[in-house]
Amino acid sequence: MRVTVILERKGDGRLMSVIETNYKELFHQSSMPRMVVCSRMADDGEFRVLDANTAAAAYFHFEEDGFKGQKLSHFTDCANSDHILQALNVCKQSKTPISIQVLPKIPGEIHVQAFLLNPVLNDDGEVSCIDMQARPPANDQVAVERERDDAISMFTTVFDLSEVAISVTDHHGRFVRLNDAFIRQTGWQTIDLIGEKLTKIIPTEDHEEAWKRHALALENARRDFGEIRILRPDSSVIYVMTTSVMLELSNGRSFHVTTCVDITELKRAKDIADDANKAKSAFLANMSHELRTPLNAIIGFSEMMINGTLGKIDNEHYVDYLGDIRFSAKHLLQIINDVLDMSKIEAGKMPLDEEDIHVSNLIDSVVRLMNARAIQGHVTLTQIIPVETSILVVDERLVRQVFLNIISNAIKFSPEESEIVITTELKDSDLCVVIRDTGIGIKEDRLKEIMEPFGQVNDPRLNKGQGTGLGLPIAKAMMEMHGGSLVVESTQGEGTTVTCCFPSSRVKQTKTIDI
């Protein structure tokens, strides 16, 4: 096919130029992908390629000489194949040109935004083939405007539909936009707030703080977090957690965007919890005085009577009863002390009185304190201190209590003629005190239980005294107060190992001692 183009200036009748251009050259030299596909589909329901230019070969990744008669689907990717096939069918049936968008990609370094499908009709008015011509992307300005419009539409939708309350104020602190969630949360109507200053919904006593935060946001243009009170139309007050950021737009315009989350119920729950905690602290303080004072008197007088300070008691049954009274009073006093210690730790009101302590001396003092109980239970306490031992910066009273609680448990649940071994070791610069026994042990699935306050694992095989279930939880909490850890490992029927590790920051120095 040849196309003749004649250019002629009217008036003087002078012929400017006559150009004959080969249509195939125009087709193949086009910089954009272009191909002709057969309008009659094959038996398999697919269109086949009749001709294609060099740009189409590069775009669809096929050899320029081996495409004729091939299925179009061989050259289109999965994402675009069905879309293009449907469009070709529509073009054939409607006999009208149509344009289709393709998924954004740049295969062969050719950027195509769409294809124009143009049907070629024969003498009978039927579609004989379809010309597929790629359309280049729109110019940058149009693309930018389209992206801008899409972004505005998307963020407007997010703003309006968000379940989080959002407000926008200008640099003067006046409301310029509010979403529906803000209206529902605060109870105000949009018409009542637009153009009004933000302090309209802030209690009077908080105005100064609100303007200060607004000014800082304008000055620093940074994200800000905080908690404020909002005044509702009915004069009630809600507490909200806010996150705000300053947006700088064109022409020097600044807007303050703030999200609000209602925390009123959380605030009330916290106030109730604080009140309950204060009541608990007051109760424990009262219990400390009201219970410990008479218990100390009971313990003291029972010991006087047992020792016969004011005269010997001849009836042995009375002496036994007095021993039971003293034991019960001491046990109750220990429970009270444990409960008070646990309460202080939970409230964060147990300060550390830190000093330099030799680990070997501390362990030796604990063993001496527990030796009488060990002898009574026919259990041996053994210290195996390595050649190197350390000085710790800790609260001596609390750390001693940790070891006393652990060793007391070990004695209680160890059979007669067994041994409890206390040793120290270094693990990655941390100093660990390890206490091992060969007692009854604990099932693995019960280990978490004994670390909970009042958690106990009773064993009918041994009954060496009652416990509160607070010894290990208190010991663990005291170790954590020092930045350390307490880990329990146990095998039922074989024994238990408790490892107390102090961080390297508390290991002041190491010294060599003779065993």
Side-chain angles (χ1 to χ4, degrees):
M1 178 180 179
R2 300 178 70 83
V3 178
T4 301
V5 181
I6 300 177
L7 300 180
E8 177 179 315
R9 176 175 297 178
K10 294 182 178 181
D12 58 8
R14 183 163 57 90
L15 182 65
M16 296 299 294
S17 64
V18 177
I19 303 174
E20 290 188 354
T21 305
N22 189 301
Y23 173 79
K24 277 187 174 279
E25 291 179 2
L26 287 174
F27 180 85
H28 285 285
Q29 292 180 11
S30 172
S31 61
M32 296 302 295
R34 189 172 184 182
M35 66 167 59
V36 178
V37 297
C38 179
S39 64
R40 178 178 297 174
M41 294 190 295
D43 295 338
D44 53 14
E46 295 201 37
F47 289 88
R48 296 182 182 271
V49 181
L50 296 179
D51 199 1
N53 66 0
T54 303
Y59 182 84
F60 289 107
H61 298 289
F62 58 74
E63 297 294 333
E64 195 169 354
D65 296 332
F67 61 85
K68 290 184 179 180
Q70 297 294 318
K71 297 177 182 178
L72 181 61
S73 61
H74 287 174
F75 312 119
T76 55
D77 58 81
C78 296
N80 284 315
S81 181
D82 292 342
H83 183 45
I84 292 175
L85 181 59
Q86 291 173 3
L88 286 170
N89 277 311
V90 172
C91 179
K92 178 185 175 182
Q93 294 169 8
S94 65
K95 300 180 182 180
T96 57
I98 64 172
S99 177
I100 60 168
Q101 300 289 323
V102 292
L103 295 179
K105 62 172 191 167
I106 313 178
E109 299 183 355
I110 298 175
H111 194 179
V112 174
Q113 177 182 344
F115 275 98
L116 176 63
L117 307 183
N118 187 37
V120 179
L121 307 180
N122 57 22
D123 294 338
D124 298 327
E126 299 297 329
V127 177
S128 61
C129 60
I130 298 176
D131 182 14
M132 291 181 59
Q133 184 173 5
R135 293 176 58 186
N139 62 64
D140 291 343
Q141 183 59 34
V142 173
V144 168
E145 290 177 357
R146 184 181 296 112
E147 290 292 333
R148 180 202 62 195
D149 293 342
D150 289 346
I152 292 174
S153 176
M154 179 178 65
F155 285 110
T156 298
T157 302
V158 172
F159 181 88
D160 291 335
L161 298 182
S162 174
E163 289 299 318
V164 176
I166 307 174
S167 67
V168 182
T169 54
D170 61 17
H171 64 286
H172 293 298
R174 295 175 300 210
F175 289 109
V176 296
R177 187 156 188 179
L178 307 165
N179 72 346
D180 292 341
F182 187 91
I183 299 304
R184 290 195 303 270
Q185 188 176 101
T186 64
W188 291 92
Q189 296 299 315
T190 303
I191 193 172
D192 297 328
L193 295 181
I194 295 299
E196 296 289 339
K197 292 184 177 181
L198 61 89
T199 47
K200 181 172 181 176
I201 64 170
I202 303 294
T204 305
E205 57 269 27
D206 296 341
H207 283 190
E208 183 178 352
E209 179 64 22
W211 284 121
K212 184 185 298 183
R213 289 178 59 181
H214 183 75
L216 285 174
L218 285 173
E219 181 180 348
N220 300 324
R222 60 181 176 82
R223 182 174 297 181
D224 181 55
F225 305 91
E227 179 183 317
I228 63 170
R229 297 189 301 163
I230 289 182
L231 189 65
R232 295 169 63 94
D234 60 2
S235 298
S236 63
V237 173
I238 62 173
Y239 293 84
V240 297
M241 185 67 69
T242 63
T243 301
S244 57
V245 65
M246 186 62 63
L247 294 182
E248 295 285 346
L249 301 183
S250 59
N251 299 324
R253 295 176 300 162
S254 299
F255 293 94
H256 200 198
V257 181
T258 304
T259 62
C260 306
V261 177
D262 189 347
I263 60 170
T264 305
E265 292 303 319
L266 290 176
K267 193 81 173 176
R268 288 172 181 166
K270 181 180 181 300
D271 290 342
I272 292 173
D274 289 342
D275 290 342
N277 193 53
K278 289 178 182 178
K280 182 185 73 172
S281 298
F283 168 75
L284 291 174
N286 184 64
M287 184 177 70
S288 172
H289 174 74
E290 298 297 332
L291 292 183
R292 284 201 285 192
T293 299
L295 281 175
N296 285 326
I298 293 171
I299 293 170
F301 287 132
S302 62
E303 288 179 346
M304 285 179 59
M305 296 171 72
I306 291 172
N307 296 330
T309 305
L310 300 179
K312 185 177 179 180
I313 298 177
D314 296 326
N315 193 317
E316 292 296 328
H317 291 294
Y318 286 164
V319 175
D320 292 339
Y321 297 155
L322 288 170
D324 292 339
I325 292 172
R326 180 180 62 177
F327 173 81
S328 298
K330 285 186 173 181
H331 177 66
L332 183 56
L333 183 61
Q334 182 60 48
I335 291 176
I336 293 171
N337 290 335
D338 286 347
V339 170
L340 289 172
D341 284 344
M342 199 70 204
S343 298
K344 288 179 182 178
I345 292 171
E346 288 178 345
K349 295 182 178 180
M350 182 175 281
L352 295 178
D353 183 14
E354 299 178 355
E355 55 183 315
D356 294 353
I357 301 297
H358 289 281
V359 177
S360 57
N361 295 342
L362 180 59
I363 293 175
D364 188 59
S365 67
V366 171
V367 169
R368 286 199 305 270
L369 287 172
M370 299 302 299
N371 203 43
R373 188 179 300 182
I375 292 173
Q376 185 180 2
H378 303 285
V379 175
T380 302
L381 296 180
T382 303
Q383 300 180 60
I384 303 179
I385 306 300
V387 174
E388 292 186 342
T389 190
S390 303
I391 294 177
L392 290 175
V393 182
V394 294
D395 186 316
E396 182 178 9
R397 183 184 69 84
L398 298 188
V399 174
R400 179 182 287 109
Q401 187 64 47
V402 168
F403 297 153
L404 287 172
N405 289 0
I406 297 170
I407 295 174
S408 175
N409 273 348
I411 294 173
K412 185 186 303 180
F413 295 105
S414 292
E416 295 183 358
E417 308 304 326
S418 61
E419 182 181 30
I420 298 172
V421 179
I422 305 104
T423 186
T424 61
E425 56 187 51
L426 287 174
K427 291 184 179 180
D428 299 326
S429 300
D430 292 347
L431 180 68
C432 298
V433 177
V434 183
I435 301 170
R436 295 183 178 91
D437 66 57
T438 54
I440 61 175
I442 307 166
K443 290 183 179 179
E444 186 175 353
D445 59 354
R446 304 290 299 274
L447 288 177
K448 284 187 177 180
E449 187 176 339
I450 64 171
M451 300 309 297
E452 296 294 329
F454 304 104
Q456 293 178 301
V457 180
N458 296 318
D459 192 293
R461 293 172 293 173
L462 292 174
N463 185 15
K464 298 186 178 181
Q466 306 172 67
T468 63
L470 289 173
L472 283 177
I474 288 175
K476 183 174 183 291
M478 288 178 173
M479 286 298 300
E480 291 173 349
M481 288 173 62
H482 288 84
S485 63
L486 186 150
V487 178
V488 179
E489 299 172 297
S490 186
T491 302
Q492 191 172 30
E494 296 183 11
T496 301
T497 299
V498 181
T499 304
C500 303
C501 288
F502 297 88
S504 56
S505 59
R506 291 194 172 275
V507 182
K508 188 171 183 180
Q509 71 181 64
T510 301
K511 72 169 186 174
T512 302
I513 64 170
D514 296 324
I515 304 301

